[in-house]
Amino acid sequence: MIFRKKDFLLQLSEEENAHMHQEQVKIMYKQALASVFALFFGALIVVYIFASTPLEKPVLVWLAAVSITLIWRLWALNSYYTYPDSYDNKIFEKRLVYAMYASAIVWGSVAFFIFKSSSLSQQFFLIFLLTGIASVASGTLASLLKVAMIFLALLLVPLVVVIFFHGGFEFKMMGIFIVIYYLLLISASKRININIKSALTSKILHEKATKELDLSEEHFETIFKEAPTGIFFYNNDLIVLNSNAEMLNILKISQERMVGLDLNNLPDPCLNEAVSAHQRGEKGFYEGPYTTMINKLQLWITLKTSPIYDANRTIIGGVAIINDISERMIVQEKMQHQAYFDALTDIPNRLLLEDRIEQSLAQYRRHRNLLAVLFLDLDHFKSVNDSLGHHIGDTLLIETAKRLVSVCREGDTVARLGGDEFVILLNELGTDPHLAATRAEVVAEKIHDILSKAFDVGLNEPIITSSSIGISLVSSDEHTADDLLKFADTAMYQAKKEGRHTTRFYQEQMDQWIKKQIFLENGLRNAIKNGELEVYYQPLVEVKSKNIVGAEALLRWNHPTMGLVMPDEIISIAEECGLIIPIGDWVLQEACAQFVSWKNKHSRGSEMKRLAVNVSVIQFRQNDFVSKVTDIITQTGIEPSMLEIELTESVIIEKMDMIIEKMKQLKTLGIGMSMDDFGTGYSSLSSLKQLPISTLKIDRSFIRDIIENSDDAALVETIVAMASIFKLDVIAEGVETMDQLKFLEYFNCRYFQGYVCSKPVKVEEFEVLLETNFISSLEIL
């Protein structure tokens, strides 16, 4: 049993708990005797006030019932005091409790006399009497709280019921007050019960303490001998008089060698102050390393000493308690190591790194010796984890940490923050900022070089990786460790954005760029549900007929404050924050539905033959991408042959083995596949032959100068001829002039897109273009 009172916790055993309950019953019996005569006297008063009234006979019957309950109670009391050992305590408890409950029921029935009487004074007397009995009972029965609560309920509930259902408004209010009064009585009973338990507990514990004190002297010798801590006694001359077994075990010596040992001649002086403190009437303490006198053991101990007094309070010696905490210190050192070092790589973690940066900053403020923080992130590490497993990823991180340590000086710090993020703290780079930056860049180049070498991680093939590094140099006394880490992280993020496997120094304008990225990312999360995203359409025109035969769906974001945000910004942010999949699905659904609407409702819709939709490689790699496309085709009703999925050449070539099977699945459904930005990924003819594509889109960078640049012209001519061999359609992107269009027509390029026809436009503007079909603007051809 756990008993709480105020701010301390007292715990009793089951036996002590049973004893306390027995005492509680005893208290209730003592209280019950005093209330017998008071209740009988109260009953007589009730009979008196109802004498010569219509209720006289019912009241006399009620008096008889009261008398029975009182006799029952007296019988229980007599049995308890006359034959205390005849029955179990529980039987005595039940006898009195049932008598109390019966008494409460009988007295509670008085409530039904209240409104049988026409006398207001009689009514109030009965209410006063019942509430008075309740008040007394809340205290007399409080030793057993449950009994008190039930007794009060049996006594007052009938009164509340009668008042509520037979009285007017005033009596209903009185009923509410009686309910409140009941709750207050319960609260009072609880407090009294707590006090009773507290007193009983104190009494029991005092008795227990007295008994234990009587046994303490008997146990002392046993405790001394068997104590799990080392204990020895010594006199004022510091000669050991006695010691226990554990003390001998700690020192690895016998009792004969221990007794008589002179503590004045200890070779390790660290204990001298503690063992002689008793001579001044003081307690001594020592904690730390200690080399033993006899066996030269290297220990870590805690020593506590106290003076020993005789009956006259004269110091006659001292007692020492020794604990061997060597194992604990080993564990503590291990825990401290775990707190400051990374569990996987065993190099410093963020906590230790930040502490060392702050120390270096303090040195910088005093001596102006510059320091740099390099924030490093492995490129494409997530792909290694996802494709090869976390155990391979962990091995790669361990080897990376070893290589980083190998290229740094002893005074520098290599730390791991988590994942594939590492930080290198370079100290003492001199006082010249340009020289410090050069030295930091040299280290960064060494890191790029050493990490670009193959990693043997236990696979058949080694892993080739690279890193992106951001560098921040201290430039202000106000800089903190967090500042330098944030700056270096920002620069690393910029390095990743600029192509990875590179180094960037932190510049203040990077912060603005990062903040803008974060601002756009947060806004993009709500863009779909807020209706801020919109699909624009750029016409696809047949070169010979000058007819619009299709459209390319392009995403736009109508930002509430920044205006129109272009796809390049949207896609990169969406890919970084994981929104590209829901946004890509929405664009595909929206474009297909719009295309079907044009086919069914627009006068020239029948001439629309293809809808091109750009798909991010992240979206394309999803396991359920093909099933999603199938569902969208079913929901919108678009003919699969009119839908064309566009992927960029660089992505297709880089991930060909993984992507080619999914492209085949889409082609089987009748969906066309287009290679966008063709010519920028340097795909070979053999790889082009393997891909199940239907269309090549010549990148605008080659179209721009085909009139002035013979190399570009030859390249476009070659692409068109090659596509003809492979029976692929060719679309020229970025056609802006009539001369470019004439060139494409001359070399039999079938389709084009570009500003010479139209830029990407909203749905309404596209419908106008579809209606006019550009005949007037292209008559010159």
Side-chain angles (χ1 to χ4, degrees), residues 38 49 57 124 183 227 231 262 270 400 449-451 536 567 711:
I49 64 172
K57 289 183 179 180
F124 276 102
L183 296 176
I231 304 173
D262 189 351
C270 61
T400 298
D449 181 60
I450 199 169
L451 293 186
Y536 276 42
D711 290 337

Side-chain angles (χ1 to χ4, degrees), residues 560-583:
T561 58
M562 297 180 62
L564 201 62
V565 182
M566 303 306 284
D568 289 346
E569 283 191 285
I570 301 175
I571 300 305
S572 61
I573 294 171
E575 288 181 340
E576 287 288 338
C577 65
L579 294 174
I580 191 63
I581 295 173
I583 289 176

Side-chain angles (χ1 to χ4, degrees), residues 31-48:
Q31 299 289 347
L33 180 61
S35 62
V36 169
F37 303 103
L39 289 175
F40 184 73
F41 180 71
L44 292 177
I45 294 175
V46 173
V47 172
Y48 175 76

Side-chain angles (χ1 to χ4, degrees), residues 476-691:
S476 168
D477 288 351
E478 303 302 319
H479 283 166
T480 65
D482 283 342
D483 291 334
L484 293 182
L485 287 171
K486 183 184 73 172
F487 296 158
D489 187 17
T490 300
M492 184 275 295
Y493 189 77
Q494 184 67 29
K496 277 192 175 295
K497 285 295 180 182
E498 294 183 13
R500 305 176 190 272
H501 189 51
T502 188
T503 300
R504 288 291 177 269
F505 279 87
Y506 171 76
Q507 298 171 350
E508 287 189 11
Q509 56 266 37
M510 286 183 182
D511 265 348
Q512 299 302 319
W513 184 83
I514 293 291
K515 288 175 182 177
K516 180 184 177 184
Q517 294 297 104
I518 294 173
F519 173 74
L520 290 174
E521 179 182 327
N522 292 335
L524 190 58
R525 293 186 183 277
N526 297 315
I528 297 179
K529 67 179 182 180
N530 292 342
E532 296 170 9
L533 297 183
E534 187 175 1
V535 180
Y536 276 42
Y537 299 89
Q538 185 172 34
L540 174 65
V541 184
E542 190 174 40
V543 173
K544 287 187 177 180
S545 67
K546 313 303 181 298
N547 290 332
I548 297 176
V549 296
E552 179 180 2
L554 298 164
L555 179 64
R556 296 290 187 271
W557 178 13
N558 295 307
H559 193 279
T561 58
M562 297 180 62
L564 201 62
V565 182
M566 303 306 284
D568 289 346
E569 283 191 285
I570 301 175
I571 300 305
S572 61
I573 294 171
E575 288 181 340
E576 287 288 338
C577 65
L579 294 174
I580 191 63
I581 295 173
I583 289 176
D585 294 344
W586 177 82
V587 170
L588 188 59
Q589 175 89 30
E590 188 77 9
C592 288
Q594 183 60 59
F595 191 80
V596 171
S597 176
W598 283 329
K599 291 286 291 181
N600 295 336
K601 299 178 182 179
H602 200 278
S603 59
R604 302 187 64 88
S606 60
E607 297 181 15
M608 300 278 283
K609 301 299 183 184
R610 67 170 71 188
L611 169 68
V613 181
N614 291 279
V615 172
S616 163
V617 67
I618 296 176
Q619 183 185 4
F620 192 81
R621 287 176 188 165
Q622 297 301 303
N623 294 331
D624 60 348
F625 177 74
V626 176
S627 63
K628 280 186 178 180
V629 174
T630 305
D631 292 341
I632 290 173
I633 289 173
T634 302
Q635 293 166 13
T636 61
I638 190 172
E639 294 182 25
S641 60
M642 293 185 176
L643 176 61
E644 194 163 77
I645 302 295
E646 288 191 8
L647 293 173
T648 60
E649 178 191 10
S650 58
V651 171
I652 293 175
I653 300 306
E654 181 184 352
K655 305 292 181 179
M656 183 183 297
D657 293 339
M658 181 175 61
I659 288 177
I660 195 168
E661 181 60 34
K662 196 168 289 186
M663 294 175 72
K664 288 180 178 179
Q665 295 176 25
L666 293 168
K667 187 175 181 180
T668 302
L669 296 173
I671 298 169
M673 296 299 302
S674 172
M675 182 184 287
D676 197 11
D677 300 335
F678 183 71
T680 61
Y682 309 105
S683 55
S684 64
L685 290 178
S686 59
S687 63
L688 188 63
K689 184 179 178 181
Q690 297 177 50
L691 295 168

Side-chain angles (χ1 to χ4, degrees), residues 259-289:
V259 174
L261 196 67
D262 189 351
L263 301 180
N264 293 292
N265 299 322
L266 294 177
D268 192 337
C270 61
L271 303 184
N272 291 349
E273 179 66 23
V275 296
S276 61
H278 81 283
Q279 296 172 340
R280 302 185 299 274
E282 299 173 356
K283 293 185 177 182
F285 178 79
Y286 171 78
E287 178 175 292

Side-chain angles (χ1 to χ4, degrees), residues 22 160 211 255 260 279 293 556 606 682 747:
Q22 186 175 357
V160 174
K211 188 181 296 184
Q255 180 78 0
Q279 296 172 340
M293 178 188 299
R556 296 290 187 271
S606 60
Y682 309 105
F747 286 105

Side-chain angles (χ1 to χ4, degrees), residues 221 224 231-234 239-244 255 258-259:
E221 188 66 23
F224 170 70
I231 304 173
F232 65 90
F233 299 96
Y234 54 96
I239 304 299
V240 175
L241 302 176
N242 197 3
S243 72
N244 68 349
Q255 180 78 0
M258 182 66 185
V259 174

